[in-house]
Amino acid sequence: MSEQRQAQRRVVVVGAGMAGVQTAVALREQGFAGPVTLIGAEPHQPYDRPPLSKAVLLGKAEGSAFDVDFEALDIDLALGREVLGVRPADRELGTGAGPVPYDVLVLATGAEPIRLPGAEGVPGVHLLRTLDDAERLRPVLARQHDIVVVGAGWIGAEFATAAREAGCAVTVVEAADRPLAGALPAEVAAPMTGWYADSGAELRTHARVAHVEPGAVVLDDGSRLPAGAVVVGIGARPATAWLAGSGIELGRHGEVVADDHLRTSVPDVYAVGDCASFPSARYGERLLVHHWDNALQGPRTVAANIIGETPSGYDPVPYFWSEQFGRFVQYAGHHASADSTLWRGDPSGPAWTVCWLREGRLVALLAVGRPRDLAQGRRLIEAGARMDPELLTDPARPLKVAVA
């Protein structure tokens, strides 16, 4: 696209998290010369989210603002502005501060936490998604309250880790029979159950919350758990309710349906990060990935499309990490289509890896305290490498030598 034509096209990015910020930055890095506006609902300078459940929550850092000079990049920040809707026919956004015209629109609104029914407005009930959430929870940890965490997923485990580090008594309640029930198979999640007790946290499975009242969580079996604070971590959903009636196609989870170049069903509208799903040729299904790395990688594809280049289809190997109970947990790939599971190392020990294969090829792995396995495995997944099972299951051998 010529510079003259670029200069006449206004790109508006909705969402000032990782995906939105990186889209704006990628446009400039790839030479886009037109006006770029980044709209964020929060008043804060755009910031990174992973530190919220770690350094920011524990008072080891005051914030996690991105190290981006928006002024030098000529990116117009419109912060503290809620977007209420979009009219693609008019190429216009409706916001609380009036309409905003666009030529190209990028949807990067991320995901929002699912709220615990009946707990809205109850004093002492918290979510952990935003900087304001972390700042409200920081003094709770400092006062060493008894804390009940609802949900033993990734965010629940990370918060429980931080709360134990702060000296709080922690009880985690999970409706399923194990932690990470929605993310990992039972045999893989089973070794993680003991991590809670090892850290001094109590994990209650098969435990459903009947209701929350000030100072207590009541379970459906009648148990009452004292709670100076309650932290809800029962999942997240794409933040797309504001797109109702826009004509932009949404999927069954409420996410924006994007193609393999992250284009939506409406011309000149793109979607990236937690709010969008995309088709994966590698895995033969549509993926909805709520993780930081997806929000980092996708913007380069979006920017290249806006500028007029023709990048290869967006089909990353999903990746994420979690720090919990003194362990560094990393995951790469997508295991749903696997037909075999192989272990490297003893899952009762401090370091082990699970590998998932489909027709002999590595499609996913989870590494606990084995970052080299993750680094090598991610490249092997990208290459579609066929593996030798005997070599693969020997934890003393580098993963890369197990290629058949």
Side-chain angles (χ1 to χ4, degrees):
M1 185 186 302
S2 70
E3 260 193 47
Q4 183 176 5
R5 188 181 169 203
Q6 279 188 25
Q8 296 171 348
R9 302 183 83 209
R10 178 179 182 180
V11 177
V12 175
V13 182
V14 182
M18 172 62 79
V21 167
Q22 289 301 317
T23 298
V25 170
L27 282 166
R28 293 301 188 223
E29 288 179 344
Q30 296 182 29
F32 183 76
V36 176
T37 298
L38 182 64
I39 300 178
E42 296 180 56
H44 310 292
Q45 191 75 2
Y47 61 88
D48 204 6
R49 293 189 188 278
L52 298 184
S53 61
K54 305 172 183 73
V56 175
L57 188 63
L58 290 170
K60 297 177 180 178
E62 287 304 311
S64 56
F66 291 114
D67 185 17
V68 174
D69 190 336
F70 295 99
E71 186 175 353
L73 291 172
D74 193 23
I75 296 169
D76 178 30
L77 287 181
L79 302 177
R81 183 176 296 188
E82 184 180 5
V83 178
L84 305 174
V86 56
R87 295 179 291 276
D90 301 325
R91 305 254 171 159
E92 187 176 82
L93 291 169
T95 80
V100 175
Y102 67 84
D103 295 302
V104 179
L105 178 63
V106 181
L107 309 175
T109 47
E112 56 192 5
I114 297 172
R115 298 177 181 274
L116 185 65
E120 294 90 345
V122 177
V125 176
H126 300 264
L127 300 169
L128 180 52
R129 180 69 180 177
T130 68
L131 180 60
D132 289 341
D133 292 337
E135 289 181 344
R136 280 189 288 267
L137 276 164
R138 190 155 56 180
V140 172
L141 267 60
R143 290 194 292 268
Q144 297 185 335
H145 281 293
D146 289 348
I147 294 176
V148 173
V149 180
V150 182
W154 299 112
I155 191 65
E158 290 186 0
F159 180 81
T161 298
R164 286 299 301 139
E165 186 176 334
C168 301
V170 178
T171 301
V172 181
V173 296
E174 168 58 51
D177 62 351
R178 62 188 187 276
L180 295 167
L184 296 173
E187 69 271 20
V188 178
M192 301 176 175
T193 301
W195 297 357
Y196 288 80
D198 291 347
S199 75
E202 180 183 2
L203 173 64
R204 291 198 179 195
T205 56
H206 298 287
R208 294 185 177 276
V209 176
H211 66 272
V212 180
E213 57 191 49
V217 172
V218 181
L219 303 181
D220 60 0
D221 64 0
S223 303
R224 292 176 59 86
L225 306 177
V230 178
V231 177
V232 179
I234 55 175
R237 60 169 62 96
T240 57
W242 65 282
L243 293 172
S246 68
I248 296 171
E249 182 183 357
L250 302 181
R252 62 192 181 95
H253 299 292
E255 84 282 7
V256 181
V257 175
D259 68 8
D260 64 346
H261 289 74
L262 300 181
R263 298 170 296 207
T264 74
S265 61
V266 171
D268 292 319
V269 179
Y270 298 82
V272 64
D274 291 8
C275 72
S277 65
F278 56 88
S280 170
R282 177 180 286 108
Y283 294 107
E285 62 181 282
R286 179 167 286 276
L287 300 182
L288 175 59
V289 180
H290 283 181
H291 294 298
W292 184 91
D293 191 67
N294 179 51
L296 176 67
Q297 303 296 336
R300 289 193 282 270
T301 296
V302 172
N305 273 286
I306 291 172
I307 290 170
E309 297 179 4
T310 308
S312 57
Y314 184 65
D315 195 6
V317 172
Y319 166 74
F320 70 90
W321 78 97
S322 177
E323 296 177 80
Q324 50 184 273
F325 308 118
R327 294 165 175 85
F328 187 43
V329 183
Q330 295 173 284
Y331 178 97
H334 181 64
H335 65 268
S337 63
D339 54 32
S340 62
T341 304
L342 298 176
W343 295 74
R344 286 168 57 81
D346 181 359
S348 66
W352 46 274
T353 296
V354 180
C355 298
W356 287 274
L357 281 69
R358 182 182 65 220
E359 298 177 354
R361 300 183 188 277
L362 187 65
V363 294
L365 82 161
L366 180 137
V368 177
R370 293 182 65 97
R372 183 175 297 179
D373 277 3
L374 189 288
Q376 294 179 8
R378 192 175 182 183
R379 290 193 290 268
L380 294 171
I381 295 169
E382 289 172 348
R386 187 175 294 278
M387 310 301 292
D388 180 317
E390 186 176 346
L391 296 175
L392 179 68
T393 53
D394 183 352
R397 296 175 183 266
L399 195 59
K400 62 185 179 182
V401 306
V403 177

